[in-house]
Amino acid sequence: MKLPASNAPSLFDRKALTLHRARAQDEALFLHRAAVDEVQDRLSMVNKTFTAPAVVTPFAHIWRDVFPEAQIVADDEVLALTPGAHDLVIHAMALHWANDPVGQLIQCHRALKPDGLLLVVSLGGETLHELRAALGQAEIEVSGGLSPRIAPMGELRDMGGLLQRAGLALPVADTARLTAEYRDLRHLMQDLRVMGETNSLTDRIRRPTRRQVFDRAQQIYAEHFATPQGRLKTTYELICLTGWSPDDSQQKPLRPGSAQTRLAEALGTKEGKLSD
């Protein structure tokens, strides 16, 4: 499937991202396993059996045991999904690295049968907000400026809007927050490295960062975000999106003015005019 060429600049360096993911270690992929739990929880609330699922993921082995019958594809810019072939598509922990997130959702939508479900789990805007604040302030103090270090991630309201832009029906967006604790800044950054989640921004600095920046960031982090035990608290936000491929069988909102009963009657109250 060929998508229209985008004129938008590439926010992420996909080659660098591939290299970073190649260094990931299985025991560090706790966020992906948390995403599995979120997906299973949401599917348990859907009164429907799915027989032709697909999973878009950078780490196939995480999902293969959970959905052994699923087609598993990489989160490339053009997804290897067959149009209209699936009744369930799971986009797992990769949308926050997409140069064209709407394009990713549109491709997933095209892969769905009518009344098929798209379920997305992605990192959201609260993720690493402590690290973002500490590094930003430290770099301003030490170097007199800011450089791109942590990828911008979508807020809940914005992410929900992407489903509508992709043409999906009955969109729902919600969030789950996880908290981890680290000995120090070095420990946190090492964990991000073995997750495959380190800086892959196209405009990232390509020279070594001065040690003073990290030393000052450690101080700021400890001052503002330390636990009573002196460990560094770190937030990871998982945003979960669900949307359905439109179908005539789905519920639709009533047209304005089509109600047969006044709200005041339903509530057992008197209807009055608004005061000025």
Side-chain angles (χ1 to χ4, degrees):
M1 173 174 52
K2 185 175 182 180
L3 295 179
S6 173
N7 294 323
S10 293
L11 180 62
F12 300 112
D13 181 346
R14 297 288 299 184
K15 290 183 178 179
L17 179 61
T18 299
L19 291 173
H20 295 167
R21 286 172 170 174
R23 295 196 293 263
Q25 298 177 15
D26 181 71
E27 61 271 18
L29 300 179
F30 66 91
L31 293 176
H32 292 262
R33 292 187 168 88
V36 170
D37 292 340
E38 293 295 329
V39 166
Q40 291 180 311
D41 182 57
R42 282 156 178 76
L43 289 178
S44 71
M45 295 184 286
V46 177
N47 186 24
K48 183 171 182 176
T49 299
F50 299 100
T51 59
V55 182
V56 179
T57 173
F59 297 107
H61 70 282
I62 297 289
W63 295 88
R64 191 172 287 122
D65 292 340
V66 183
F67 296 94
E69 75 283 10
Q71 178 188 356
I72 299 183
V73 304
D75 64 312
D76 298 325
E77 294 189 354
V78 177
L79 301 176
L81 293 171
T82 302
H86 302 284
D87 54 7
L88 170 66
V89 175
I90 300 167
H91 200 293
M93 293 297 290
L95 197 66
H96 57 282
W97 286 120
N99 281 311
D100 182 9
V102 176
Q104 290 279 299
L105 298 184
I106 289 173
Q107 292 180 75
C108 291
H109 181 185
R110 290 177 180 173
L112 287 171
K113 301 176 181 180
D115 201 35
L117 175 63
L118 172 62
L119 208 163
V120 179
V121 185
S122 175
L123 291 179
E126 289 296 308
T127 299
L128 299 177
H129 72 86
E130 304 93 344
L131 179 62
R132 191 189 305 272
L135 274 176
Q137 183 177 336
E139 191 167 25
I140 290 173
E141 291 181 11
V142 175
S143 304
L146 279 173
S147 57
R149 293 186 179 275
I150 300 175
M153 301 177 200
E155 302 296 333
L156 181 63
R157 180 180 299 179
D158 298 331
M159 296 287 281
L162 296 184
L163 292 172
Q164 293 178 310
R165 290 178 61 187
L168 291 152
L170 308 174
V172 175
D174 62 281
T175 184
R177 288 181 176 83
L178 306 176
T179 301
E181 296 179 4
Y182 297 94
R183 294 187 303 272
D184 51 30
L185 192 65
R186 184 184 298 274
H187 183 201
L188 166 56
M189 297 181 76
Q190 174 62 25
D191 209 28
L192 293 175
R193 188 171 295 111
V194 295
M195 288 182 200
E197 296 285 345
T198 45
N199 190 354
S200 297
L201 288 162
T202 299
D203 292 335
R204 68 191 183 281
I205 58 173
R206 309 299 175 100
R207 63 182 184 278
T209 298
R210 296 166 62 184
R211 181 173 178 176
Q212 293 93 322
V213 171
F214 294 119
D215 289 344
R216 180 59 182 136
Q218 167 67 35
Q219 294 172 352
I220 295 169
Y221 208 131
E223 288 171 6
H224 296 281
F225 305 112
T227 68
Q229 295 74 32
R231 295 175 67 84
L232 303 187
K233 182 175 65 175
T234 299
T235 300
Y236 297 101
E237 181 186 29
L238 301 184
I239 289 182
C240 305
L241 310 175
T242 56
W244 294 83
S245 180
D247 185 70
D248 290 340
S249 65
Q250 294 167 352
Q251 293 182 350
K252 296 177 177 58
L254 295 172
R255 291 180 291 105
S258 62
Q260 300 298 312
T261 304
R262 291 181 178 275
L263 179 61
E265 294 177 10
L267 296 177
T269 62
K270 292 184 177 180
E271 184 175 358
K273 293 183 179 180
L274 293 173
S275 59
D276 296 333

